[in-house]
Structures are given as C-alpha cells and as structure tokens.
Amino acid sequence: MIHQLVYFSRNTVPGDDRVMLTNLREILSVAQRNNVRDGITGFLIFDKTWFVQILEGERIKVTETYTRIARDTRHSGASIMNARDVTDRSFPDWSMGGAMRSVEVQEIYLQHGIGSSMDPSKLNSTKVLQLALDLQAFDTAKRHGQRRAG
Ligand SMILES: Cc1cc2nc3c(=O)[nH]c(=O)nc-3n(C[C@H](O)[C@H](O)[C@H](O)COP(=O)(O)O)c2cc1C
C-alpha cells in the first residue's frame, strides 16, 4: 500500500523569478536525492506565493519527509489537504517533479479553472492531482521534443 499526502504552504523564498527558480532548483535537487533514498515520489507545484506538493511512498517515510519539510523556513503554514492510502503511485517515475507557474503552462492552469492566481484553500487534493498530472505530461512532452530537436 502506498501512502499519498497532499499539502500546501506559503512560499517565503525571496527574490525575483530568476532567484526564486535558482533556490527552487536547489530545493528540488536535495529533495530528489533524499527521495530516491527514501522511496518517495511526487510532484511540487509552485508560484511566487504558494507551494502545493504531493508526496507518495511508504507511510512512515512520507510522514518523516513531511515532518522535515514542514519545519523548513523557506515556506510557512504547511497544511495537509489530504492523506490517504492508494494502490498505485501517481508519479512513479519522479523522485520529485517540479513545475513553476510560468507563461508556458498558463494554459494548463486555465484548463483547470485556475485564473490569474492560485488559491490552494479553494483547491481540493483531487484537483491538485489532476493539475500535477497535466503539468507532468507537459514537461515530459517538452523533454521529448527537445531530444528530437537536439
Ligand atoms: C516546498 C519544499 C519542498 C520540499 N520537498 C522535499 C522533498 O520532497 N524531500 C525532501 O527530502 N526534502 C524536501 N524539501 C527540503 C527539506 O525541507 C529539507 O531541507 C531537506 O530534506 C533536508 O535534507 P538534508 O538533511 O539532506 O539536508 C523541501 C523543502 C521545501 C521548502
């Protein structure tokens, strides 16, 4: 059985888009290293204001990881939207995928009814999962495109 936890928090990483992206790459690289070790997979959605993250894996590992993340001072007010047991992982190939909200993916947000700003308190975990799966698919398609072009 796989445990899947979805939470949101307030992004307190300072700086403009570029600085934020650099900081986020650092967070993701540490996350990916730890998550490979811990058998955790998932996806991190973020913009200037919010983080929404999906963590999945063995229940004890998910709890440990979430507890560590929740203490991180680069965000605040981490709040669990949903935690449940599932039969399969939604992001089996991603130790931690990540997508910053950008013009490029604006259309995907709009398709999910998320306009100019994302308000996680108005999202439920099902919507978050669907959005993350679409962002993941976009990212995968883009990578394949780049490989072909290269
Ligand atoms: C929004 C956000 C998401 C994070 N996601 C993960 C994660 O999925 N896995 C993880 O191990 N650390 C994650 N971190 C980093 C942890 O808070 C913490 O800094 C890190 O796990 C410490 O790793 P270390 O003990 O190897 O230095 C995240 C941090 C933030 C701010």
Side-chain angles (χ1 to χ4, degrees):
M1 199 58 87
I2 297 293
H3 197 63
Q4 188 183 64
L5 184 151
V6 184
Y7 78 87
F8 71 90
S9 61
R10 217 166 234 288
N11 184 348
T12 59
V13 175
D16 60 18
D17 277 13
R18 257 185 61 186
V19 175
M20 203 178 78
L21 206 52
T22 306
N23 288 324
L24 258 302
R25 289 216 175 96
E26 202 176 294
I27 290 175
L28 279 174
S29 112
V30 171
Q32 283 158 0
R33 192 191 60 216
N34 289 344
N35 293 354
V36 166
R37 176 195 67 200
D38 298 336
I40 302 273
T41 52
F43 207 82
L44 177 66
I45 297 171
F46 58 95
D47 63 16
K48 283 189 186 64
T49 319
W50 300 105
F51 288 115
V52 184
Q53 189 173 22
I54 300 154
L55 297 166
E56 47 190 29
E58 209 184 308
R59 180 191 279 259
I60 187 154
K61 294 293 181 193
V62 169
T63 307
E64 272 172 22
T65 300
Y66 174 72
T67 306
R68 201 169 61 235
I69 296 172
R71 285 197 301 254
D72 198 311
T73 54
R74 292 170 290 191
H75 62 172
S76 67
S79 141
I80 295 175
M81 297 168 83
N82 193 33
R84 58 173 186 158
D85 288 334
V86 293
T87 48
D88 299 298
R89 292 175 191 260
S90 296
F91 304 92
D93 304 326
W94 298 68
S95 58
M96 188 48 63
M100 184 173 85
R101 182 159 187 175
S102 65
V103 188
E104 204 183 33
V105 290
Q106 182 66 4
E107 188 66 27
I108 298 172
Y109 280 82
L110 291 175
Q111 280 161 12
H112 287 266
I114 303 168
S116 54
S117 63
M118 167 165 85
D119 179 357
S121 67
K122 293 211 177 80
L123 292 174
N124 60 45
S125 58
T126 309
K127 281 190 179 175
V128 169
L129 264 170
Q130 284 164 353
L131 174 62
L133 285 167
D134 280 357
L135 291 169
Q136 172 197 234
F138 178 85
D139 198 278
T140 304
K142 198 174 90 179
R143 280 163 205 263
H144 282 285
Q146 274 169 356
R147 255 209 299 282
R148 267 201 303 276

